[in-house]
Amino acid sequence: MESDSIVIIPTYNEKENIENIIRAVFALEKPFHILVIDDGSPDGTGDIVKRLIDSEFSDRLFLLRRAGKLGLGTAYITGFKWALQHDYQYVFEMDADFSHDPKDLPRLYAACHDEGFDLAVGSRYVSGVNVVNWPMGRVLMSYFASCYVRFVTGFKVHDTTAGFVCYRRRVLETIDLDKIRFKGYAFQIEMKFTAYKIGFRIKEVPVVFVNRREGTSKMSGGIFSEAFFGVMRLRLDGWLRKYPKLPKA
């Protein structure tokens, strides 16, 4: 089945969710392909994906296995390069745990394909605080992290740490992916900030973020620490770094 769109799903120990999320994406009316990047999950997540490829979805489900936990950012960079090599025009980031609703994928696609934006961000905060079943402390930490990013950098996106994103191909071709430094939440901020500094058009699409029901969260204090100090470094980059020029449409 042909598609102009690939959904990249990084995984580590997601056996409770991975088959269901794959089937939910493939049940959508618009056809999407999926690339799972599994960081050596000891629970057999990668084996589940391999079984689905061999039995049902050989033409639209793909798997890259890595040796261990190498970081969210490096997983996405690996996926971006793979997607560019395989000529996809729209490249999505999405979590495996249903915190991102697959039914919102066509809305992100429409923002780029139909409305002409270069990035579409599935935003928890552009229309209030749309988070379900998160502990209040984590809601406040995430919300004020985005406020902090806007304050320090002058970057106007409300949900800078969002991991539910659609990129048009030309964005990923223009950004020097090998120069993206951060591994955790700061990776999400750095990608959006870099696109903004180049001059790409970004749209926030309001979504409801639902805390995972199955499996274990991969959040840690180190991830937030990287984001906190990484934002200061991005602000300095904004003054000193020479960004690529916006390509002609």
Side-chain angles (χ1 to χ4, degrees):
M1 182 180 293
E2 293 294 321
S3 177
D4 61 355
S5 303
I6 186 87
V7 181
I8 300 172
I9 304 178
T11 56
Y12 183 79
N13 285 352
E14 290 289 355
K15 68 177 183 180
E16 297 92 348
N17 296 302
I18 191 60
E19 180 169 352
N20 290 334
I21 197 77
I22 288 169
R23 292 190 182 280
V25 172
F26 287 159
L28 296 170
E29 184 175 348
K30 176 186 163 39
F32 291 90
H33 290 180
I34 295 175
L35 171 64
V36 175
I37 300 179
D38 185 66
D39 272 8
S41 298
D43 72 346
T45 298
D47 295 332
I48 294 170
V49 177
K50 183 66 165 59
R51 172 176 58 79
L52 291 172
I53 292 172
D54 292 342
S55 63
E56 295 182 63
F57 303 122
S58 62
D59 60 341
R60 51 180 168 159
L61 176 60
F62 308 96
L63 172 66
L64 293 179
R65 295 184 191 249
R66 305 202 302 172
K69 293 184 72 174
L70 302 176
L72 181 72
T74 64
Y76 275 127
I77 295 296
T78 298
F80 293 159
K81 291 178 177 180
W82 188 95
L84 292 175
Q85 289 169 359
H86 290 80
D87 296 326
Y88 290 98
Q89 300 303 308
Y90 302 90
V91 181
F92 293 76
E93 299 178 2
M94 191 174 78
D95 290 346
D97 61 7
F98 284 93
S99 55
H100 305 141
D101 188 342
K103 293 178 182 177
D104 287 325
L105 285 168
R107 297 172 60 225
L108 298 182
Y109 176 79
C112 292
H113 180 269
D114 301 338
E115 299 176 46
F117 288 91
D118 298 299
L119 268 77
V121 178
S123 177
R124 297 162 289 186
Y125 306 129
V126 71
S127 60
V129 179
N130 295 318
V131 176
V132 177
N133 292 337
W134 251 11
M136 183 54 66
R138 189 168 169 190
V139 172
L140 292 173
M141 185 180 295
S142 175
Y143 177 75
F144 284 110
S146 283
C147 292
Y148 165 72
V149 173
R150 294 202 306 274
F151 175 75
V152 172
T153 64
F155 183 31
K156 301 305 180 186
V157 168
H158 290 80
D159 195 351
T160 52
T161 62
F164 196 21
V165 184
C166 173
Y167 294 93
R168 288 181 66 189
R169 177 185 183 87
R170 72 186 199 129
V171 178
L172 301 178
E173 288 178 326
T174 304
I175 293 174
D176 188 342
L177 297 174
D178 291 327
K179 290 186 178 178
I180 297 296
R181 293 180 297 241
F182 299 117
K183 303 294 190 291
Y185 262 157
F187 164 81
Q188 302 291 4
I189 302 168
E190 185 176 8
M191 285 294 296
K192 297 178 188 70
F193 183 73
T194 303
Y196 157 76
K197 292 296 290 185
I198 292 170
F200 287 114
R201 297 175 64 223
I202 302 173
K203 179 173 183 178
E204 290 190 85
V205 177
V207 300
V208 176
F209 182 96
V210 180
N211 195 30
R212 66 164 62 237
R213 296 187 299 268
E214 304 289 343
T216 304
S217 173
K218 313 305 187 295
M219 291 295 298
S220 70
I223 289 174
F224 275 105
S225 176
E226 181 197 51
F228 182 84
F229 293 106
V231 168
M232 298 180 189
R233 188 167 176 181
L234 288 178
R235 179 56 173 165
L236 190 62
D237 280 354
W239 287 327
L240 303 177
R241 181 176 169 187
K242 187 174 183 179
Y243 289 90
K245 290 184 178 180
L246 183 70
K248 293 182 179 179

